[in-house]
Amino acid sequence: MMSKAIQGFFLFLTLLSTQACEQEEVDGQVVLPSNLEVSLEKQANGQVQVTFMAEKANFFRVSFGTENELPELASGTEASYRYDSPGVYTIRVQAHATETNFISEERTVTISEQDLGLGIPESGFTSPERYEGYSLVWRDEFEGTNLSGDWVAEIGDGCPDLCGWGNNELQFYHRKNAELKDGYLVITAKEESMGGKNYTSSRLKTQGQQNVQFGRIDFRAALPRGQGIWPAFWMLGESITETPWPASGEIDIMEMIGGAADGRDNTVHGTLHWDNNGAYATAGGKTSLPEGAIFNDRFHVFSIIWTEESITWLLDDEVFHEISIASDAMDEFREPFFLLINLAVGGNWPGSPDASTNFPQQLVVDYVRVFQRE
């Protein structure tokens, strides 16, 4: 004989099944969900979060308005999607009673270049065109439509001599990723295949065209962001063709290794690399923006003041680090250097991009100015 407990369990299952059928059908008719509510929230890096609820819905499907996309089954009452291109997208949420019986709501969302970390900020720090005791000896304001002859584009992945540019970087450098736009130099890192690499970007230098030896250098730029993104404004000794690195010297005016973790998108580094009596040597410092701010939000000015005795790093005209170069072991820093601007992807220091990294990414440069003491 069946126990009362087992009888009660089967009665519960029967009632549950009956209630489900009553929800889905009334007099043979499917009961559609009702009161579908949909809300959207734009988040960082082109991410959009959609939250929804409806009465008598058995499940939901969501489409985010991209080409040839079909509504996908949602897990629970929310879904998210990361856009990689600006545009106006129609998001459709379907609340289902059965696979073929549902109600739906649509919402539009506008994704701007700023939402993707692209575009040109409208504000930021600006440095003066004159400093007491200095003369402006060279500048590039990046006006017009073509780069000046002072800049040389490096092409490739560094192979065969310096594969991965010495850092296991993942990009293939190409001239087309650097353009002048509205008075700015814009270097774009893209996720695309070229030269056996999965990313493209640009690297520019003034080698053989413009050298600097002492003075003040200002670099106004808005930086990209994201894990594995590595913008830099730096200098190499003009003697590098005859004197191998690091004996020719390297001055990193600004480097940022991107990533939201550990405040990396809001921290920049200034570093020296040199040969210390036959041994590789490096030293440097860093500075960070206040919590909540990142270098992608607005323009900042990255500077050094370089004398025969020291190199000083500044962010928005505030000193954050200084290194003495007075010793004989640092003689390379009393020789001419040329300038470089590049946007790398991946490498030993930043690591590789991951699912949180949004492409394309842009380094936007307003100007480079070189001053020397009068």
Side-chain angles (χ1 to χ4, degrees), residues 114-130:
Q114 284 70 29
D115 293 327
L116 300 174
L118 304 175
I120 298 172
E122 297 179 354
S123 62
F125 187 86
T126 300
S127 56
E129 296 188 30
R130 286 189 55 83

PDB file of all heavy atoms in Angstrom, residues 114-130:
ATOM      1  N   GLN A 114      32.528  57.790 -28.132  1.00  0.00           N
ATOM      2  CA  GLN A 114      32.945  57.959 -26.742  1.00  0.00           C
ATOM      3  C   GLN A 114      32.581  56.731 -25.911  1.00  0.00           C
ATOM      4  O   GLN A 114      33.332  56.332 -25.012  1.00  0.00           O
ATOM      5  CB  GLN A 114      32.319  59.220 -26.139  1.00  0.00           C
ATOM      6  CG  GLN A 114      32.965  60.523 -26.589  1.00  0.00           C
ATOM      7  CD  GLN A 114      32.691  60.854 -28.049  1.00  0.00           C
ATOM      8  OE1 GLN A 114      31.648  60.461 -28.591  1.00  0.00           O
ATOM      9  NE2 GLN A 114      33.589  61.584 -28.675  1.00  0.00           N
ATOM     10  N   ASP A 115      31.424  56.127 -26.187  1.00  0.00           N
ATOM     11  CA  ASP A 115      31.034  54.912 -25.465  1.00  0.00           C
ATOM     12  C   ASP A 115      32.027  53.784 -25.694  1.00  0.00           C
ATOM     13  O   ASP A 115      32.205  52.921 -24.830  1.00  0.00           O
ATOM     14  CB  ASP A 115      29.644  54.448 -25.912  1.00  0.00           C
ATOM     15  CG  ASP A 115      28.538  55.402 -25.505  1.00  0.00           C
ATOM     16  OD1 ASP A 115      28.658  56.020 -24.433  1.00  0.00           O
ATOM     17  OD2 ASP A 115      27.558  55.541 -26.266  1.00  0.00           O
ATOM     18  N   LEU A 116      32.660  53.774 -26.854  1.00  0.00           N
ATOM     19  CA  LEU A 116      33.623  52.730 -27.202  1.00  0.00           C
ATOM     20  C   LEU A 116      35.045  53.104 -26.814  1.00  0.00           C
ATOM     21  O   LEU A 116      35.985  52.359 -27.086  1.00  0.00           O
ATOM     22  CB  LEU A 116      33.565  52.449 -28.710  1.00  0.00           C
ATOM     23  CG  LEU A 116      32.218  51.961 -29.253  1.00  0.00           C
ATOM     24  CD1 LEU A 116      32.271  51.877 -30.767  1.00  0.00           C
ATOM     25  CD2 LEU A 116      31.858  50.617 -28.659  1.00  0.00           C
ATOM     26  N   GLY A 117      35.194  54.266 -26.181  1.00  0.00           N
ATOM     27  CA  GLY A 117      36.539  54.732 -25.866  1.00  0.00           C
ATOM     28  C   GLY A 117      37.236  55.339 -27.058  1.00  0.00           C
ATOM     29  O   GLY A 117      38.449  55.528 -27.057  1.00  0.00           O
ATOM     30  N   LEU A 118      36.471  55.659 -28.107  1.00  0.00           N
ATOM     31  CA  LEU A 118      37.028  56.277 -29.302  1.00  0.00           C
ATOM     32  C   LEU A 118      36.634  57.749 -29.317  1.00  0.00           C
ATOM     33  O   LEU A 118      36.121  58.285 -28.353  1.00  0.00           O
ATOM     34  CB  LEU A 118      36.499  55.571 -30.550  1.00  0.00           C
ATOM     35  CG  LEU A 118      36.740  54.059 -30.609  1.00  0.00           C
ATOM     36  CD1 LEU A 118      36.068  53.477 -31.833  1.00  0.00           C
ATOM     37  CD2 LEU A 118      38.223  53.759 -30.620  1.00  0.00           C
ATOM     38  N   GLY A 119      36.874  58.393 -30.445  1.00  0.00           N
ATOM     39  CA  GLY A 119      36.518  59.796 -30.549  1.00  0.00           C
ATOM     40  C   GLY A 119      37.557  60.686 -29.896  1.00  0.00           C
ATOM     41  O   GLY A 119      38.579  60.236 -29.374  1.00  0.00           O
ATOM     42  N   ILE A 120      37.288  61.967 -29.907  1.00  0.00           N
ATOM     43  CA  ILE A 120      38.222  62.967 -29.404  1.00  0.00           C
ATOM     44  C   ILE A 120      37.583  63.703 -28.238  1.00  0.00           C
ATOM     45  O   ILE A 120      36.527  64.315 -28.401  1.00  0.00           O
ATOM     46  CB  ILE A 120      38.603  63.954 -30.525  1.00  0.00           C
ATOM     47  CG1 ILE A 120      39.305  63.176 -31.658  1.00  0.00           C
ATOM     48  CG2 ILE A 120      39.503  65.058 -29.989  1.00  0.00           C
ATOM     49  CD1 ILE A 120      39.551  63.999 -32.901  1.00  0.00           C
ATOM     50  N   PRO A 121      38.176  63.639 -27.058  1.00  0.00           N
ATOM     51  CA  PRO A 121      37.607  64.345 -25.911  1.00  0.00           C
ATOM     52  C   PRO A 121      37.529  65.851 -26.164  1.00  0.00           C
ATOM     53  O   PRO A 121      38.308  66.411 -26.949  1.00  0.00           O
ATOM     54  CB  PRO A 121      38.583  64.031 -24.778  1.00  0.00           C
ATOM     55  CG  PRO A 121      39.279  62.789 -25.207  1.00  0.00           C
ATOM     56  CD  PRO A 121      39.370  62.862 -26.697  1.00  0.00           C
ATOM     57  N   GLU A 122      36.607  66.492 -25.505  1.00  0.00           N
ATOM     58  CA  GLU A 122      36.406  67.924 -25.698  1.00  0.00           C
ATOM     59  C   GLU A 122      37.114  68.767 -24.645  1.00  0.00           C
ATOM     60  O   GLU A 122      37.100  69.996 -24.736  1.00  0.00           O
ATOM     61  CB  GLU A 122      34.905  68.241 -25.685  1.00  0.00           C
ATOM     62  CG  GLU A 122      34.138  67.569 -26.823  1.00  0.00           C
ATOM     63  CD  GLU A 122      32.657  67.885 -26.780  1.00  0.00           C
ATOM     64  OE1 GLU A 122      32.212  68.538 -25.794  1.00  0.00           O
ATOM     65  OE2 GLU A 122      31.934  67.479 -27.715  1.00  0.00           O
ATOM     66  N   SER A 123      37.732  68.147 -23.656  1.00  0.00           N
ATOM     67  CA  SER A 123      38.347  68.914 -22.575  1.00  0.00           C
ATOM     68  C   SER A 123      39.654  68.260 -22.154  1.00  0.00           C
ATOM     69  O   SER A 123      39.994  67.156 -22.590  1.00  0.00           O
ATOM     70  CB  SER A 123      37.399  69.002 -21.381  1.00  0.00           C
ATOM     71  OG  SER A 123      37.130  67.703 -20.873  1.00  0.00           O
ATOM     72  N   GLY A 124      40.362  68.954 -21.289  1.00  0.00           N
ATOM     73  CA  GLY A 124      41.604  68.419 -20.767  1.00  0.00           C
ATOM     74  C   GLY A 124      42.625  69.508 -20.517  1.00  0.00           C
ATOM     75  O   GLY A 124      42.407  70.683 -20.819  1.00  0.00           O
ATOM     76  N   PHE A 125      43.764  69.112 -19.978  1.00  0.00           N
ATOM     77  CA  PHE A 125      44.826  70.053 -19.653  1.00  0.00           C
ATOM     78  C   PHE A 125      45.521  70.518 -20.929  1.00  0.00           C
ATOM     79  O   PHE A 125      45.729  69.741 -21.865  1.00  0.00           O
ATOM     80  CB  PHE A 125      45.845  69.390 -18.726  1.00  0.00           C
ATOM     81  CG  PHE A 125      46.897  70.330 -18.205  1.00  0.00           C
ATOM     82  CD1 PHE A 125      46.670  71.083 -17.070  1.00  0.00           C
ATOM     83  CD2 PHE A 125      48.113  70.465 -18.854  1.00  0.00           C
ATOM     84  CE1 PHE A 125      47.635  71.955 -16.578  1.00  0.00           C
ATOM     85  CE2 PHE A 125      49.090  71.327 -18.382  1.00  0.00           C
ATOM     86  CZ  PHE A 125      48.841  72.087 -17.240  1.00  0.00           C
ATOM     87  N   THR A 126      45.869  71.798 -20.965  1.00  0.00           N
ATOM     88  CA  THR A 126      46.603  72.380 -22.093  1.00  0.00           C
ATOM     89  C   THR A 126      47.838  73.091 -21.565  1.00  0.00           C
ATOM     90  O   THR A 126      47.749  73.867 -20.609  1.00  0.00           O
ATOM     91  CB  THR A 126      45.726  73.370 -22.872  1.00  0.00           C
ATOM     92  OG1 THR A 126      44.572  72.692 -23.372  1.00  0.00           O
ATOM     93  CG2 THR A 126      46.492  73.965 -24.044  1.00  0.00           C
ATOM     94  N   SER A 127      48.974  72.848 -22.181  1.00  0.00           N
ATOM     95  CA  SER A 127      50.216  73.495 -21.764  1.00  0.00           C
ATOM     96  C   SER A 127      50.441  74.762 -22.575  1.00  0.00           C
ATOM     97  O   SER A 127      49.916  74.918 -23.678  1.00  0.00           O
ATOM     98  CB  SER A 127      51.390  72.528 -21.944  1.00  0.00           C
ATOM     99  OG  SER A 127      51.463  72.076 -23.287  1.00  0.00           O
ATOM    100  N   PRO A 128      51.256  75.697 -22.049  1.00  0.00           N
ATOM    101  CA  PRO A 128      51.510  76.958 -22.762  1.00  0.00           C
ATOM    102  C   PRO A 128      52.459  76.770 -23.936  1.00  0.00           C
ATOM    103  O   PRO A 128      53.165  75.759 -24.031  1.00  0.00           O
ATOM    104  CB  PRO A 128      52.140  77.837 -21.683  1.00  0.00           C
ATOM    105  CG  PRO A 128      52.801  76.877 -20.749  1.00  0.00           C
ATOM    106  CD  PRO A 128      51.919  75.664 -20.723  1.00  0.00           C
ATOM    107  N   GLU A 129      52.479  77.739 -24.812  1.00  0.00           N
ATOM    108  CA  GLU A 129      53.408  77.711 -25.942  1.00  0.00           C
ATOM    109  C   GLU A 129      54.733  78.389 -25.609  1.00  0.00           C
ATOM    110  O   GLU A 129      55.653  78.366 -26.425  1.00  0.00           O
ATOM    111  CB  GLU A 129      52.768  78.385 -27.158  1.00  0.00           C
ATOM    112  CG  GLU A 129      51.542  77.655 -27.668  1.00  0.00           C
ATOM    113  CD  GLU A 129      51.035  78.224 -28.984  1.00  0.00           C
ATOM    114  OE1 GLU A 129      51.861  78.741 -29.758  1.00  0.00           O
ATOM    115  OE2 GLU A 129      49.826  78.149 -29.234  1.00  0.00           O
ATOM    116  N   ARG A 130      54.843  78.941 -24.413  1.00  0.00           N
ATOM    117  CA  ARG A 130      56.085  79.579 -23.981  1.00  0.00           C
ATOM    118  C   ARG A 130      56.361  79.246 -22.524  1.00  0.00           C
ATOM    119  O   ARG A 130      55.429  79.136 -21.721  1.00  0.00           O
ATOM    120  CB  ARG A 130      56.022  81.108 -24.126  1.00  0.00           C
ATOM    121  CG  ARG A 130      56.111  81.617 -25.557  1.00  0.00           C
ATOM    122  CD  ARG A 130      56.263  83.133 -25.577  1.00  0.00           C
ATOM    123  NE  ARG A 130      57.401  83.589 -24.780  1.00  0.00           N
ATOM    124  CZ  ARG A 130      58.660  83.612 -25.222  1.00  0.00           C
ATOM    125  NH1 ARG A 130      58.939  83.204 -26.464  1.00  0.00           N
ATOM    126  NH2 ARG A 130      59.644  84.036 -24.447  1.00  0.00           N
TER     127      ARG A 130
END
